[in-house]
């Protein structure tokens, strides 16, 4: 009797594990341009252009678009036209600097694609009046094996009165390298319990060629984003722990920490908040289409703006 039961279980297991082809009828609106660009005050213009592809079938080896024409409108008037330089795949750059307080619109056209156009984006004019303090070699809350510093950030009362969104990025400068510190928020931050007005975003760094992969890679860094709604009182800091050591023995310490704080477009804050909540991992192999925020008409992606300053902490 036991053998019959075991045989039945084995048969059921084999039937359950049989491979089957699923005919997924996923709607596709056709190839469209995807725009991504942060218009940062006082920095050169830099726009990335890629394209969508059919979700059914093979994934294309290359999605960058290098034959587009990028036109920027500034304060309602045509300002500059950018063609691809041939240097960085998919990136369109200009030496013209982004002006704080100006309003921009990005229009991109390319053969066989509908012309994509961003929403109007205004570059923030005012910067937060913030101070920062670095406390070395504290008892950290994460990765206790590594030495950590505590970065305390104090915003002013005026920052809490305006309807603005902020970005905070911490970078360690070592003797031979520069690394995003991947900060950990302190558990006793006031903003830790206000999930609707803060989130973590990802910022793509300048592309670089990797000798091991034999390809161009796009390093990423972690950025803390928050609304002024959850700013603490001026005497209460936002606190972040940053690892301070690059080698196994942690003998190489950061010479300084750079705090980059800025005012960002609300669109980028909302985009990051949605992306940060998307389910990932092997437990979510089959999912319905996930939400994505875009401010591009006849295409996808995000064009947003920021105005930032840096504070050096030796």
């Amino acid at each position: 009797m036991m053998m019959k039961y075991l045989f039945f279980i084995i048969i059921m297991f084999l039937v359950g594990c049989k491979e089957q082809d699923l005919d997924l009828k996923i709607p596709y609106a056709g190839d469209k341009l995807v725009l991504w660009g942060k218009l940062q005050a006082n920095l050169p213009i830099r726009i990335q252009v890629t394209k969508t592809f059919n979700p059914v079938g093979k994934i294309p080896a290359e999605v960058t678009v290098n034959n587009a024409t990028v036109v920027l409108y500034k304060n309602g008037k045509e300002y500059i036209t950018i063609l691809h330089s041939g240097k960085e795949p998919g990136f369109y750059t200009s030496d013209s600097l982004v002006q704080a307080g100006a309003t921009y619109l990005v229009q991109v056209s390319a053969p066989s694609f509908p012309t994509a156009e961003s929403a109007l984006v205004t570059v923030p004019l005012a910067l937060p009046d913030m101070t920062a303090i670095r406390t070395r070699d504290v008892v950290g809350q994460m990765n206790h094996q590594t030495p950590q510093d505590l970065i305390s950030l104090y915003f002013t009362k005026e920052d809490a009165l305006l309807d603005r969104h902020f970005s905070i990025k911490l970078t360690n400068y070592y003797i031979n390298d520069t690394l995003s510190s991947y900060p950990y928020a302190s558990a006793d931050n006031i903003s830790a319990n206000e999930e609707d007005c803060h989130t973590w975003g990802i910022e793509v760094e300048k592309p670089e060629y990797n000798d091991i992969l034999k390809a161009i890679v796009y390093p990423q860094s972690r950025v803390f984003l928050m609304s002024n709604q959850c700013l603490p009182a001026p005497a209460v800091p936002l606190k972040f722990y940053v690892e301070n050591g690059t080698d196994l023995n942690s003998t190489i310490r950061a010479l300084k920490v750079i705090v980059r704080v800025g005012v960002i477009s609300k669109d980028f804050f909302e985009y990051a908040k949605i992306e940060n909540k998307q389910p990932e991992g092997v437990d979510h192999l089959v999912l319905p289409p996930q939400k994505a925020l875009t401010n591009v008409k006849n295409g996808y992606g995000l064009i947003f703006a920021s105005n930032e300053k840096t504070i050096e902490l030796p």
Side-chain angles (χ1 to χ4, degrees):
M1 184 70 180
M2 189 61 147
M3 290 299 295
K4 289 183 178 179
Y5 179 75
L6 182 61
F7 180 74
F8 176 76
I9 293 296
I10 293 174
I11 293 297
M12 291 296 293
F13 176 77
L14 292 176
V15 171
C17 293
K18 182 181 178 181
E19 287 188 4
Q20 292 183 340
D21 292 331
L22 298 177
D23 185 14
L24 298 177
K25 297 186 181 300
I26 302 176
Y28 182 56
D31 293 351
K32 292 188 177 183
L33 296 172
V34 180
L35 316 183
W36 182 266
K38 179 173 74 170
L39 301 175
Q40 184 172 336
N42 304 313
L43 287 186
I45 295 168
R46 182 178 175 85
I47 305 294
Q48 184 183 28
V49 182
T50 56
K51 62 181 180 180
T52 61
F53 58 89
N54 197 322
V56 178
K58 293 183 178 180
I59 298 176
E62 184 61 67
V63 295
T64 58
V65 177
N66 300 312
N67 61 345
T69 300
V70 178
V71 180
L72 265 74
Y73 292 80
K74 178 180 176 182
N75 296 330
K77 298 180 180 180
E78 186 171 330
Y79 173 58
I80 191 172
T81 298
I82 309 172
L83 300 178
H84 190 256
S85 66
K87 295 180 180 179
E88 296 181 55
F91 281 91
Y92 294 74
T93 59
S94 170
D95 292 334
S96 298
L97 302 183
V98 176
Q99 180 184 343
T103 297
Y104 292 88
L105 181 147
V106 179
Q107 188 181 82
V108 182
S109 58
S112 74
F113 291 95
T115 298
E117 185 176 285
S118 77
L120 291 172
V121 177
T122 300
V123 183
L125 187 59
L127 284 166
D129 186 17
M130 189 205 73
T131 57
I133 297 175
R134 176 187 180 187
T135 306
R136 294 174 177 266
D137 296 320
V138 298
V139 178
Q141 296 181 350
M142 301 285 290
N143 291 349
H144 301 290
Q145 303 87 348
T146 61
Q148 295 178 41
D149 295 341
L150 174 64
I151 308 298
S152 302
L153 309 177
Y154 295 84
F155 284 80
T156 65
K157 182 179 179 180
E158 287 71 24
D159 290 318
L161 297 177
L162 302 174
D163 184 17
R164 298 196 293 179
H165 296 80
F166 303 102
S167 66
I168 298 170
K169 179 182 175 182
L170 305 174
T171 305
N172 288 350
Y173 282 73
Y174 296 89
I175 189 169
N176 293 321
D177 206 354
T178 301
L179 296 175
S180 173
S181 59
Y182 205 87
Y184 306 101
S186 173
D188 61 353
N189 272 346
I190 290 179
S191 59
N193 297 320
E194 302 290 343
E195 294 185 0
D196 194 47
C197 62
H198 83 277
T199 189
W200 290 95
I202 296 298
E203 183 171 287
V204 179
E205 304 288 351
K206 186 176 181 180
E208 57 186 34
Y209 184 80
N210 187 291
D211 290 327
I212 298 176
L213 299 176
K214 304 298 182 184
I216 295 176
V217 296
Y218 299 85
Q220 295 182 341
S221 58
R222 202 174 187 216
V223 183
F224 184 75
L225 307 172
M226 66 183 298
S227 165
N228 72 319
Q229 297 175 22
C230 57
L231 281 179
V236 179
L238 286 175
K239 296 186 290 187
F240 298 92
Y241 291 92
V242 296
E243 295 183 4
N244 181 16
T246 59
D247 59 330
L248 293 177
N249 298 321
S250 299
T251 55
I252 302 176
R253 300 295 188 90
L255 301 177
K256 61 183 177 182
V257 177
I258 294 294
V259 180
R260 199 186 75 198
V261 58
V263 180
I264 58 170
S265 302
K266 182 180 180 181
D267 279 349
F268 182 55
F269 173 78
E270 297 294 341
Y271 168 87
K273 191 165 64 172
I274 293 173
E275 289 293 306
N276 197 42
K277 293 181 179 179
Q278 301 284 21
E280 293 182 355
V282 295
D283 295 332
H284 304 281
L285 293 179
V286 180
L287 287 171
Q290 300 301 296
K291 293 181 178 180
L293 187 148
T294 178
N295 64 358
V296 176
K297 183 172 64 176
N298 289 331
Y300 302 98
L302 196 72
I303 301 295
F304 61 101
S306 71
N307 193 352
E308 303 172 9
K309 69 176 181 180
T310 57
I311 302 174
E312 183 176 317
L313 301 176

